[in-house]
Amino acid sequence: MNQNSILESNSKKLRKLLESPRVEQILEAHNSLSATIVEEAGLSGLWASSLTLSCAAGLRDNSELTMTEVLEVLESITARANIPILFDGDTGYGQFSHFQQLVRKLCLRRVGGVCIEDKIFPKTNSFLRSEGQSLAPVEEFAGKLRAGKDAQTDPDFVVVARTEALIVGLDTAAAIDRAESYVDAGADAILIHSKERTFGQVQDFMSKWSGRAPVVCVPTTYYSTPMEAFDQAGISLVIWANHMLRAGIGAMQSVANEIGEKGTARDLEDAIAPVKEVFRLQDADGLLEGEKTYLHKESGVTALVLAASRGAGLDELTADRPKAMIPVSGMPAIEKMLQSMRAEGIKDISVVRGYRPEALAPVGAKFFDNPDWEENGELGSLAVAREAIKGDTIIAYGDVVFKRYILHLLLSSDAPITLVVDGSRSFLESGRSVDRVKVSGPAPTAYDESENWLEAASEGLPEEMTHGEWIGMLRVRGEGVESLQEALDSALARPGSAQLDLCALLDDLAQADPRAIRVIYVHGGWIDINSLADVARSGDV
Ligand code: SPV
Ligand code: MG
């Protein structure tokens, strides 16, 4: 479908069909499914038939279907279809004022046009009870048409005036007279209806028609007339008024009878549409595509946040709360971190508390408490939350505030263990003591996809060996989970392990295997509370 066909209004599209130099055809639809099938077959427009809409709703074609009911069906069609609807509006649902309401509501729903007929409410289908058919006075119907044209909010909306003169047994001249009056009243086209078995009656009308407006016909009874004959007679639009419903009726009856009689669908399977065709018509694949684009799925990644410490040298800020609860831009640092994690689909988050646990209660997190945090430090905290290191886990210090893209980058790594390293080495100027790291390659200065691996990690690394600073966030997955747990267990088994920190554990792993830990470089975009406090003290924030 080209872009123009989406941008062009349905009313314009319908107008083009009526004004086309050659005869055009539209086909009936009584719901969105039949409309989709008509559109897929390449037809240029839809006839929303009162006969078939009411039949599909279990009602008679005697004005029994209400305006509200029919509008709902039309809306479900225009929501999906890219071809215009000409709606069979019967007698306009009442007098001129009802017709005006109808026109406004059709414009709102992007229905291309409406056709109303010059009969009396409640009307009877043209092929039923000829004695029950009576025409509305010309002036009254012309007034209704004028009212409809005055009410349209879409300038291209089409109002087709249908005369039933031939249906009630009047002659061609009477039909022509009525048609002329309707064009005078503003009708955009005339529908001349006939129940003859040949095209002759309509052909006669066409031979006497002034050509002041396009003419539409409904060859339900003269169905074998070739399109060329319509074209030669000057017909602009042919409506196949009920064929989709009738096709469905026959097919449904034979399936229902077969199942009813035989109690099996065995012999039907090849004769009916496969279920996958139903899915295709519903655009089931479109939903899958949409889910990829719009649905926020749980990532399957869990998080463990180490937030036990009070923080050295932060006494005045941490008198009544742990370091992770110090506010950053009005929100506790740990809450900011949890917000980013949840935004990245991480829902299962555990927090290790130590100092002032009662003051650390971010909503929705699970807690592990490390009452000996002062003695056993980071490894002690990791040990109490050992069970939270599972599957695919982000481990982060609770006092780090970072931009969400850093977490996103970390989540894109497929390595068993991945560290985020700031390669800017800004700490060298400030003299801060940080977790320094040595990496297989320096931080790239331009776009670079090469992989980097951790070679050493320690606060005490000499400057010339230091490529950057670990920001306090890592990810373990797959075999990385086991290696970290094994390294943790063996570190804890060593005497004096209480003084070891996570950085030392990573160093152990890197020493044992130079490809154990992948490094992702960032440049800024994060800060830890210690540095923030330094900055705050210096009066820079
Ligand atoms: C319809 O399809 O509802 C029509 C055409 O109005 S006819 O049934 O021929 O009257
Ligand atoms: Mg009808």
Side-chain angles (χ1 to χ4, degrees), residues 332-378:
I334 193 166
E335 291 285 4
K336 271 191 178 283
M337 177 185 291
L338 265 49
Q339 223 174 41
S340 298
M341 287 176 166
R342 291 192 178 111
E344 285 296 326
I346 302 172
K347 306 284 178 233
D348 183 347
I349 302 172
S350 302
V351 175
V352 182
R353 306 185 293 194
Y355 174 66
R356 290 250 178 208
E358 74 288 351
L360 180 55
V363 180
K366 290 180 218 155
F367 300 111
F368 292 89
D369 286 328
N370 176 16
D372 304 321
W373 60 274
E374 272 181 293
E375 283 77 48
N376 64 18
E378 288 167 13

mmCIF file of all heavy atoms in Angstrom, residues 332-378:
data_model
loop_
_atom_site.group_PDB
_atom_site.id
_atom_site.type_symbol
_atom_site.label_atom_id
_atom_site.label_comp_id
_atom_site.label_asym_id
_atom_site.label_seq_id
_atom_site.Cartn_x
_atom_site.Cartn_y
_atom_site.Cartn_z
ATOM 1 N N PRO A 332 16.793 9.171 47.432
ATOM 2 C CA PRO A 332 17.902 8.366 47.934
ATOM 3 C C PRO A 332 18.632 7.679 46.786
ATOM 4 O O PRO A 332 17.993 7.199 45.842
ATOM 5 C CB PRO A 332 17.207 7.335 48.834
ATOM 6 C CG PRO A 332 15.920 7.964 49.223
ATOM 7 C CD PRO A 332 15.527 8.843 48.079
ATOM 8 N N ALA A 333 19.967 7.656 46.896
ATOM 9 C CA ALA A 333 20.790 7.110 45.812
ATOM 10 C C ALA A 333 20.318 5.723 45.396
ATOM 11 O O ALA A 333 20.181 5.426 44.206
ATOM 12 C CB ALA A 333 22.246 7.058 46.263
ATOM 13 N N ILE A 334 20.004 4.887 46.383
ATOM 14 C CA ILE A 334 19.633 3.505 46.041
ATOM 15 C C ILE A 334 18.300 3.458 45.290
ATOM 16 O O ILE A 334 18.104 2.613 44.418
ATOM 17 C CB ILE A 334 19.616 2.610 47.307
ATOM 18 C CG1 ILE A 334 19.541 1.134 46.888
ATOM 19 C CG2 ILE A 334 18.496 2.979 48.257
ATOM 20 C CD1 ILE A 334 19.840 0.152 47.995
ATOM 21 N N GLU A 335 17.401 4.379 45.617
ATOM 22 C CA GLU A 335 16.124 4.420 44.898
ATOM 23 C C GLU A 335 16.353 4.749 43.432
ATOM 24 O O GLU A 335 15.697 4.213 42.545
ATOM 25 C CB GLU A 335 15.173 5.469 45.502
ATOM 26 C CG GLU A 335 14.650 5.151 46.875
ATOM 27 C CD GLU A 335 13.566 4.055 46.887
ATOM 28 O OE1 GLU A 335 13.279 3.485 45.826
ATOM 29 O OE2 GLU A 335 13.053 3.772 47.985
ATOM 30 N N LYS A 336 17.293 5.637 43.186
ATOM 31 C CA LYS A 336 17.620 5.990 41.793
ATOM 32 C C LYS A 336 18.122 4.752 41.047
ATOM 33 O O LYS A 336 17.758 4.503 39.906
ATOM 34 C CB LYS A 336 18.713 7.058 41.768
ATOM 35 C CG LYS A 336 18.164 8.455 41.805
ATOM 36 C CD LYS A 336 19.293 9.432 41.508
ATOM 37 C CE LYS A 336 18.783 10.845 41.479
ATOM 38 N NZ LYS A 336 18.082 11.223 40.297
ATOM 39 N N MET A 337 18.982 4.004 41.744
ATOM 40 C CA MET A 337 19.521 2.811 41.101
ATOM 41 C C MET A 337 18.408 1.805 40.810
ATOM 42 O O MET A 337 18.318 1.250 39.709
ATOM 43 C CB MET A 337 20.567 2.166 42.009
ATOM 44 C CG MET A 337 21.108 0.881 41.418
ATOM 45 S SD MET A 337 22.214 0.021 42.508
ATOM 46 C CE MET A 337 23.610 1.088 42.531
ATOM 47 N N LEU A 338 17.540 1.598 41.786
ATOM 48 C CA LEU A 338 16.457 0.626 41.604
ATOM 49 C C LEU A 338 15.511 1.047 40.481
ATOM 50 O O LEU A 338 15.004 0.214 39.725
ATOM 51 C CB LEU A 338 15.685 0.429 42.921
ATOM 52 C CG LEU A 338 16.161 -0.756 43.778
ATOM 53 C CD1 LEU A 338 17.654 -0.769 43.980
ATOM 54 C CD2 LEU A 338 15.432 -0.808 45.111
ATOM 55 N N GLN A 339 15.315 2.348 40.371
ATOM 56 C CA GLN A 339 14.463 2.867 39.294
ATOM 57 C C GLN A 339 15.045 2.491 37.921
ATOM 58 O O GLN A 339 14.338 2.017 37.039
ATOM 59 C CB GLN A 339 14.429 4.387 39.416
ATOM 60 C CG GLN A 339 13.074 4.991 39.217
ATOM 61 C CD GLN A 339 13.101 6.488 39.507
ATOM 62 O OE1 GLN A 339 14.035 7.198 39.141
ATOM 63 N NE2 GLN A 339 12.073 6.958 40.172
ATOM 64 N N SER A 340 16.354 2.704 37.785
ATOM 65 C CA SER A 340 17.009 2.359 36.509
ATOM 66 C C SER A 340 16.914 0.861 36.255
ATOM 67 O O SER A 340 16.683 0.419 35.127
ATOM 68 C CB SER A 340 18.485 2.744 36.529
ATOM 69 O OG SER A 340 18.610 4.116 36.689
ATOM 70 N N MET A 341 17.109 0.075 37.313
ATOM 71 C CA MET A 341 17.064 -1.381 37.133
ATOM 72 C C MET A 341 15.680 -1.822 36.675
ATOM 73 O O MET A 341 15.537 -2.619 35.752
ATOM 74 C CB MET A 341 17.425 -2.079 38.444
ATOM 75 C CG MET A 341 18.914 -1.980 38.757
ATOM 76 S SD MET A 341 19.299 -2.708 40.343
ATOM 77 C CE MET A 341 21.096 -2.830 40.214
ATOM 78 N N ARG A 342 14.660 -1.267 37.322
ATOM 79 C CA ARG A 342 13.292 -1.670 36.941
ATOM 80 C C ARG A 342 12.983 -1.228 35.517
ATOM 81 O O ARG A 342 12.334 -1.946 34.758
ATOM 82 C CB ARG A 342 12.288 -1.076 37.924
ATOM 83 C CG ARG A 342 12.427 -1.737 39.289
ATOM 84 C CD ARG A 342 11.297 -1.415 40.230
ATOM 85 N NE ARG A 342 11.495 -2.116 41.474
ATOM 86 C CZ ARG A 342 11.807 -1.547 42.638
ATOM 87 N NH1 ARG A 342 11.930 -0.230 42.713
ATOM 88 N NH2 ARG A 342 11.999 -2.268 43.724
ATOM 89 N N ALA A 343 13.476 -0.055 35.166
ATOM 90 C CA ALA A 343 13.241 0.431 33.797
ATOM 91 C C ALA A 343 13.898 -0.489 32.776
ATOM 92 O O ALA A 343 13.455 -0.575 31.634
ATOM 93 C CB ALA A 343 13.761 1.844 33.639
ATOM 94 N N GLU A 344 14.931 -1.191 33.183
ATOM 95 C CA GLU A 344 15.598 -2.125 32.271
ATOM 96 C C GLU A 344 15.039 -3.539 32.421
ATOM 97 O O GLU A 344 15.631 -4.515 31.968
ATOM 98 C CB GLU A 344 17.112 -2.121 32.524
ATOM 99 C CG GLU A 344 17.820 -0.893 31.983
ATOM 100 C CD GLU A 344 17.762 -0.772 30.457
ATOM 101 O OE1 GLU A 344 17.775 -1.798 29.775
ATOM 102 O OE2 GLU A 344 17.674 0.364 29.970
ATOM 103 N N GLY A 345 13.913 -3.670 33.093
ATOM 104 C CA GLY A 345 13.244 -4.974 33.177
ATOM 105 C C GLY A 345 13.740 -5.852 34.315
ATOM 106 O O GLY A 345 13.415 -7.036 34.383
ATOM 107 N N ILE A 346 14.557 -5.294 35.221
ATOM 108 C CA ILE A 346 15.040 -6.104 36.352
ATOM 109 C C ILE A 346 14.063 -5.923 37.498
ATOM 110 O O ILE A 346 13.906 -4.827 38.028
ATOM 111 C CB ILE A 346 16.461 -5.664 36.777
ATOM 112 C CG1 ILE A 346 17.409 -5.797 35.593
ATOM 113 C CG2 ILE A 346 16.943 -6.470 37.968
ATOM 114 C CD1 ILE A 346 18.784 -5.208 35.828
ATOM 115 N N LYS A 347 13.370 -6.988 37.831
ATOM 116 C CA LYS A 347 12.323 -6.871 38.849
ATOM 117 C C LYS A 347 12.744 -7.531 40.154
ATOM 118 O O LYS A 347 12.266 -7.164 41.222
ATOM 119 C CB LYS A 347 11.020 -7.532 38.360
ATOM 120 C CG LYS A 347 10.545 -7.034 37.020
ATOM 121 C CD LYS A 347 9.899 -5.662 37.112
ATOM 122 C CE LYS A 347 9.469 -5.159 35.807
ATOM 123 N NZ LYS A 347 9.587 -4.166 35.073
ATOM 124 N N ASP A 348 13.575 -8.554 40.070
ATOM 125 C CA ASP A 348 13.966 -9.309 41.260
ATOM 126 C C ASP A 348 15.242 -8.679 41.828
ATOM 127 O O ASP A 348 16.338 -8.911 41.336
ATOM 128 C CB ASP A 348 14.192 -10.769 40.821
ATOM 129 C CG ASP A 348 14.541 -11.670 41.992
ATOM 130 O OD1 ASP A 348 14.858 -11.144 43.088
ATOM 131 O OD2 ASP A 348 14.511 -12.895 41.813
ATOM 132 N N ILE A 349 15.071 -7.838 42.833
ATOM 133 C CA ILE A 349 16.208 -7.067 43.350
ATOM 134 C C ILE A 349 16.379 -7.361 44.840
ATOM 135 O O ILE A 349 15.423 -7.280 45.623
ATOM 136 C CB ILE A 349 15.976 -5.548 43.150
ATOM 137 C CG1 ILE A 349 15.770 -5.246 41.660
ATOM 138 C CG2 ILE A 349 17.134 -4.738 43.725
ATOM 139 C CD1 ILE A 349 15.338 -3.824 41.345
ATOM 140 N N SER A 350 17.604 -7.717 45.234
ATOM 141 C CA SER A 350 17.906 -7.953 46.650
ATOM 142 C C SER A 350 18.884 -6.885 47.121
ATOM 143 O O SER A 350 19.753 -6.435 46.358
ATOM 144 C CB SER A 350 18.555 -9.323 46.845
ATOM 145 O OG SER A 350 17.702 -10.328 46.355
ATOM 146 N N VAL A 351 18.741 -6.506 48.391
ATOM 147 C CA VAL A 351 19.608 -5.471 48.951
ATOM 148 C C VAL A 351 20.219 -6.019 50.250
ATOM 149 O O VAL A 351 19.498 -6.579 51.080
ATOM 150 C CB VAL A 351 18.795 -4.191 49.258
ATOM 151 C CG1 VAL A 351 19.673 -3.144 49.952
ATOM 152 C CG2 VAL A 351 18.195 -3.617 47.975
ATOM 153 N N VAL A 352 21.534 -5.879 50.373
ATOM 154 C CA VAL A 352 22.166 -6.284 51.638
ATOM 155 C C VAL A 352 22.302 -5.046 52.520
ATOM 156 O O VAL A 352 22.884 -4.038 52.110
ATOM 157 C CB VAL A 352 23.555 -6.917 51.398
ATOM 158 C CG1 VAL A 352 24.151 -7.373 52.735
ATOM 159 C CG2 VAL A 352 23.449 -8.099 50.452
ATOM 160 N N ARG A 353 21.705 -5.147 53.723
ATOM 161 C CA ARG A 353 21.759 -4.027 54.667
ATOM 162 C C ARG A 353 22.759 -4.338 55.778
ATOM 163 O O ARG A 353 23.033 -5.505 56.076
ATOM 164 C CB ARG A 353 20.384 -3.807 55.304
ATOM 165 C CG ARG A 353 19.286 -3.626 54.290
ATOM 166 C CD ARG A 353 17.976 -3.286 54.927
ATOM 167 N NE ARG A 353 17.428 -4.386 55.718
ATOM 168 C CZ ARG A 353 16.168 -4.422 56.160
ATOM 169 N NH1 ARG A 353 15.357 -3.407 55.898
ATOM 170 N NH2 ARG A 353 15.732 -5.438 56.870
ATOM 171 N N GLY A 354 23.291 -3.331 56.400
ATOM 172 C CA GLY A 354 24.212 -3.511 57.530
ATOM 173 C C GLY A 354 23.985 -2.398 58.518
ATOM 174 O O GLY A 354 23.177 -2.512 59.437
ATOM 175 N N TYR A 355 24.628 -1.268 58.265
ATOM 176 C CA TYR A 355 24.458 -0.092 59.119
ATOM 177 C C TYR A 355 23.039 0.452 58.996
ATOM 178 O O TYR A 355 22.535 0.637 57.885
ATOM 179 C CB TYR A 355 25.482 0.977 58.700
ATOM 180 C CG TYR A 355 25.313 2.297 59.404
ATOM 181 C CD1 TYR A 355 25.540 2.409 60.786
ATOM 182 C CD2 TYR A 355 24.932 3.450 58.706
ATOM 183 C CE1 TYR A 355 25.372 3.624 61.438
ATOM 184 C CE2 TYR A 355 24.784 4.675 59.354
ATOM 185 C CZ TYR A 355 24.999 4.744 60.721
ATOM 186 O OH TYR A 355 24.838 5.952 61.367
ATOM 187 N N ARG A 356 22.394 0.685 60.134
ATOM 188 C CA ARG A 356 21.047 1.261 60.195
ATOM 189 C C ARG A 356 20.067 0.586 59.208
ATOM 190 O O ARG A 356 19.502 1.254 58.318
ATOM 191 C CB ARG A 356 21.115 2.753 59.862
ATOM 192 C CG ARG A 356 21.806 3.539 60.971
ATOM 193 C CD ARG A 356 20.775 4.371 61.652
ATOM 194 N NE ARG A 356 21.334 5.132 62.755
ATOM 195 C CZ ARG A 356 20.630 5.501 63.790
ATOM 196 N NH1 ARG A 356 19.357 5.152 63.873
ATOM 197 N NH2 ARG A 356 21.161 6.199 64.745
ATOM 198 N N PRO A 357 19.865 -0.715 59.375
ATOM 199 C CA PRO A 357 18.990 -1.404 58.401
ATOM 200 C C PRO A 357 17.565 -0.841 58.380
ATOM 201 O O PRO A 357 16.904 -0.838 57.337
ATOM 202 C CB PRO A 357 18.989 -2.857 58.883
ATOM 203 C CG PRO A 357 19.453 -2.825 60.302
ATOM 204 C CD PRO A 357 20.357 -1.635 60.416
ATOM 205 N N GLU A 358 17.115 -0.340 59.535
ATOM 206 C CA GLU A 358 15.735 0.165 59.609
ATOM 207 C C GLU A 358 15.535 1.382 58.697
ATOM 208 O O GLU A 358 14.398 1.694 58.299
ATOM 209 C CB GLU A 358 15.351 0.501 61.064
ATOM 210 C CG GLU A 358 15.977 1.771 61.654
ATOM 211 C CD GLU A 358 17.473 1.673 61.964
ATOM 212 O OE1 GLU A 358 18.033 0.559 61.891
ATOM 213 O OE2 GLU A 358 18.098 2.710 62.255
ATOM 214 N N ALA A 359 16.660 2.059 58.361
ATOM 215 C CA ALA A 359 16.532 3.258 57.516
ATOM 216 C C ALA A 359 16.689 2.939 56.030
ATOM 217 O O ALA A 359 16.723 3.826 55.195
ATOM 218 C CB ALA A 359 17.587 4.289 57.930
ATOM 219 N N LEU A 360 16.797 1.650 55.739
ATOM 220 C CA LEU A 360 17.001 1.273 54.333
ATOM 221 C C LEU A 360 15.901 0.293 53.924
ATOM 222 O O LEU A 360 15.982 -0.897 54.212
ATOM 223 C CB LEU A 360 18.383 0.611 54.180
ATOM 224 C CG LEU A 360 18.775 0.147 52.781
ATOM 225 C CD1 LEU A 360 18.686 1.266 51.773
ATOM 226 C CD2 LEU A 360 20.181 -0.415 52.790
ATOM 227 N N ALA A 361 14.853 0.811 53.332
ATOM 228 C CA ALA A 361 13.733 -0.066 52.977
ATOM 229 C C ALA A 361 13.127 0.304 51.636
ATOM 230 O O ALA A 361 11.950 0.635 51.542
ATOM 231 C CB ALA A 361 12.678 -0.010 54.076
ATOM 232 N N PRO A 362 13.923 0.251 50.560
ATOM 233 C CA PRO A 362 13.322 0.577 49.264
ATOM 234 C C PRO A 362 12.188 -0.405 48.943
ATOM 235 O O PRO A 362 12.316 -1.610 49.164
ATOM 236 C CB PRO A 362 14.478 0.451 48.275
ATOM 237 C CG PRO A 362 15.537 -0.304 48.975
ATOM 238 C CD PRO A 362 15.336 -0.127 50.438
ATOM 239 N N VAL A 363 11.111 0.141 48.437
ATOM 240 C CA VAL A 363 9.907 -0.669 48.187
ATOM 241 C C VAL A 363 10.174 -1.721 47.108
ATOM 242 O O VAL A 363 10.818 -1.436 46.105
ATOM 243 C CB VAL A 363 8.748 0.259 47.732
ATOM 244 C CG1 VAL A 363 7.474 -0.541 47.450
ATOM 245 C CG2 VAL A 363 8.498 1.311 48.791
ATOM 246 N N GLY A 364 9.698 -2.905 47.371
ATOM 247 C CA GLY A 364 9.740 -3.950 46.340
ATOM 248 C C GLY A 364 11.035 -4.747 46.309
ATOM 249 O O GLY A 364 11.157 -5.665 45.507
ATOM 250 N N ALA A 365 12.006 -4.410 47.164
ATOM 251 C CA ALA A 365 13.261 -5.171 47.165
ATOM 252 C C ALA A 365 13.211 -6.231 48.268
ATOM 253 O O ALA A 365 12.452 -6.117 49.226
ATOM 254 C CB ALA A 365 14.440 -4.230 47.391
ATOM 255 N N LYS A 366 14.033 -7.296 48.066
ATOM 256 C CA LYS A 366 14.180 -8.286 49.148
ATOM 257 C C LYS A 366 15.412 -7.888 49.949
ATOM 258 O O LYS A 366 16.340 -7.278 49.400
ATOM 259 C CB LYS A 366 14.433 -9.670 48.546
ATOM 260 C CG LYS A 366 13.244 -10.246 47.849
ATOM 261 C CD LYS A 366 13.643 -11.617 47.302
ATOM 262 C CE LYS A 366 13.019 -11.828 45.951
ATOM 263 N NZ LYS A 366 13.747 -12.763 45.122
ATOM 264 N N PHE A 367 15.433 -8.277 51.214
ATOM 265 C CA PHE A 367 16.563 -7.851 52.054
ATOM 266 C C PHE A 367 17.344 -9.021 52.604
ATOM 267 O O PHE A 367 16.780 -10.061 52.950
ATOM 268 C CB PHE A 367 16.052 -6.995 53.221
ATOM 269 C CG PHE A 367 15.350 -5.766 52.734
ATOM 270 C CD1 PHE A 367 13.987 -5.619 52.894
ATOM 271 C CD2 PHE A 367 16.063 -4.773 52.073
ATOM 272 C CE1 PHE A 367 13.340 -4.502 52.413
ATOM 273 C CE2 PHE A 367 15.418 -3.646 51.594
ATOM 274 C CZ PHE A 367 14.061 -3.513 51.765
ATOM 275 N N PHE A 368 18.651 -8.805 52.691
ATOM 276 C CA PHE A 368 19.541 -9.688 53.448
ATOM 277 C C PHE A 368 20.230 -8.774 54.447
ATOM 278 O O PHE A 368 20.612 -7.650 54.082
ATOM 279 C CB PHE A 368 20.582 -10.329 52.531
ATOM 280 C CG PHE A 368 19.983 -11.317 51.567
ATOM 281 C CD1 PHE A 368 19.524 -10.912 50.319
ATOM 282 C CD2 PHE A 368 19.880 -12.661 51.905
ATOM 283 C CE1 PHE A 368 18.969 -11.818 49.433
ATOM 284 C CE2 PHE A 368 19.325 -13.582 51.025
ATOM 285 C CZ PHE A 368 18.870 -13.155 49.776
ATOM 286 N N ASP A 369 20.392 -9.237 55.696
ATOM 287 C CA ASP A 369 21.046 -8.390 56.683
ATOM 288 C C ASP A 369 22.412 -8.956 57.059
ATOM 289 O O ASP A 369 22.569 -10.161 57.272
ATOM 290 C CB ASP A 369 20.153 -8.252 57.928
ATOM 291 C CG ASP A 369 18.976 -7.316 57.632
ATOM 292 O OD1 ASP A 369 19.170 -6.377 56.820
ATOM 293 O OD2 ASP A 369 17.875 -7.553 58.164
ATOM 294 N N ASN A 370 23.363 -8.069 57.091
ATOM 295 C CA ASN A 370 24.733 -8.446 57.470
ATOM 296 C C ASN A 370 25.094 -7.651 58.726
ATOM 297 O O ASN A 370 25.679 -6.566 58.633
ATOM 298 C CB ASN A 370 25.689 -8.112 56.309
ATOM 299 C CG ASN A 370 27.128 -8.386 56.677
ATOM 300 O OD1 ASN A 370 27.406 -9.092 57.664
ATOM 301 N ND2 ASN A 370 28.061 -7.816 55.910
ATOM 302 N N PRO A 371 24.746 -8.214 59.899
ATOM 303 C CA PRO A 371 24.971 -7.453 61.131
ATOM 304 C C PRO A 371 26.455 -7.199 61.420
ATOM 305 O O PRO A 371 26.807 -6.247 62.119
ATOM 306 C CB PRO A 371 24.326 -8.328 62.218
ATOM 307 C CG PRO A 371 24.143 -9.676 61.614
ATOM 308 C CD PRO A 371 24.127 -9.525 60.129
ATOM 309 N N ASP A 372 27.348 -8.050 60.824
ATOM 310 C CA ASP A 372 28.789 -7.886 61.082
ATOM 311 C C ASP A 372 29.475 -7.077 59.995
ATOM 312 O O ASP A 372 30.653 -7.275 59.701
ATOM 313 C CB ASP A 372 29.449 -9.280 61.181
ATOM 314 C CG ASP A 372 28.763 -10.123 62.236
ATOM 315 O OD1 ASP A 372 28.394 -9.558 63.288
ATOM 316 O OD2 ASP A 372 28.559 -11.332 61.985
ATOM 317 N N TRP A 373 28.720 -6.194 59.366
ATOM 318 C CA TRP A 373 29.255 -5.476 58.201
ATOM 319 C C TRP A 373 30.556 -4.756 58.488
ATOM 320 O O TRP A 373 31.416 -4.632 57.630
ATOM 321 C CB TRP A 373 28.209 -4.484 57.675
ATOM 322 C CG TRP A 373 27.796 -3.434 58.670
ATOM 323 C CD1 TRP A 373 26.832 -3.573 59.602
ATOM 324 C CD2 TRP A 373 28.365 -2.138 58.837
ATOM 325 N NE1 TRP A 373 26.740 -2.435 60.357
ATOM 326 C CE2 TRP A 373 27.675 -1.532 59.894
ATOM 327 C CE3 TRP A 373 29.383 -1.421 58.190
ATOM 328 C CZ2 TRP A 373 27.973 -0.251 60.343
ATOM 329 C CZ3 TRP A 373 29.674 -0.145 58.628
ATOM 330 C CH2 TRP A 373 28.977 0.431 59.699
ATOM 331 N N GLU A 374 30.716 -4.279 59.763
ATOM 332 C CA GLU A 374 31.943 -3.529 60.051
ATOM 333 C C GLU A 374 33.173 -4.422 60.022
ATOM 334 O O GLU A 374 34.254 -3.998 59.649
ATOM 335 C CB GLU A 374 31.822 -2.830 61.404
ATOM 336 C CG GLU A 374 31.190 -1.450 61.253
ATOM 337 C CD GLU A 374 31.069 -0.725 62.565
ATOM 338 O OE1 GLU A 374 30.271 -1.200 63.403
ATOM 339 O OE2 GLU A 374 31.760 0.284 62.736
ATOM 340 N N GLU A 375 32.982 -5.705 60.438
ATOM 341 C CA GLU A 375 34.109 -6.635 60.461
ATOM 342 C C GLU A 375 34.326 -7.325 59.113
ATOM 343 O O GLU A 375 35.439 -7.416 58.624
ATOM 344 C CB GLU A 375 33.916 -7.737 61.526
ATOM 345 C CG GLU A 375 34.178 -7.285 62.944
ATOM 346 C CD GLU A 375 33.001 -6.474 63.476
ATOM 347 O OE1 GLU A 375 31.855 -6.937 63.312
ATOM 348 O OE2 GLU A 375 33.223 -5.359 63.998
ATOM 349 N N ASN A 376 33.223 -7.823 58.526
ATOM 350 C CA ASN A 376 33.448 -8.706 57.368
ATOM 351 C C ASN A 376 33.293 -8.018 56.000
ATOM 352 O O ASN A 376 33.508 -8.636 54.966
ATOM 353 C CB ASN A 376 32.573 -9.958 57.457
ATOM 354 C CG ASN A 376 31.085 -9.651 57.385
ATOM 355 O OD1 ASN A 376 30.694 -8.584 56.954
ATOM 356 N ND2 ASN A 376 30.273 -10.599 57.817
ATOM 357 N N GLY A 377 32.894 -6.760 55.976
ATOM 358 C CA GLY A 377 32.920 -5.953 54.747
ATOM 359 C C GLY A 377 32.143 -6.533 53.577
ATOM 360 O O GLY A 377 31.151 -7.249 53.751
ATOM 361 N N GLU A 378 32.628 -6.224 52.377
ATOM 362 C CA GLU A 378 31.885 -6.578 51.160
ATOM 363 C C GLU A 378 31.726 -8.079 50.977
ATOM 364 O O GLU A 378 30.667 -8.556 50.558
ATOM 365 C CB GLU A 378 32.604 -6.013 49.930
ATOM 366 C CG GLU A 378 32.476 -4.515 49.830
ATOM 367 C CD GLU A 378 33.453 -3.925 48.809
ATOM 368 O OE1 GLU A 378 34.041 -4.692 48.026
ATOM 369 O OE2 GLU A 378 33.619 -2.705 48.809
#
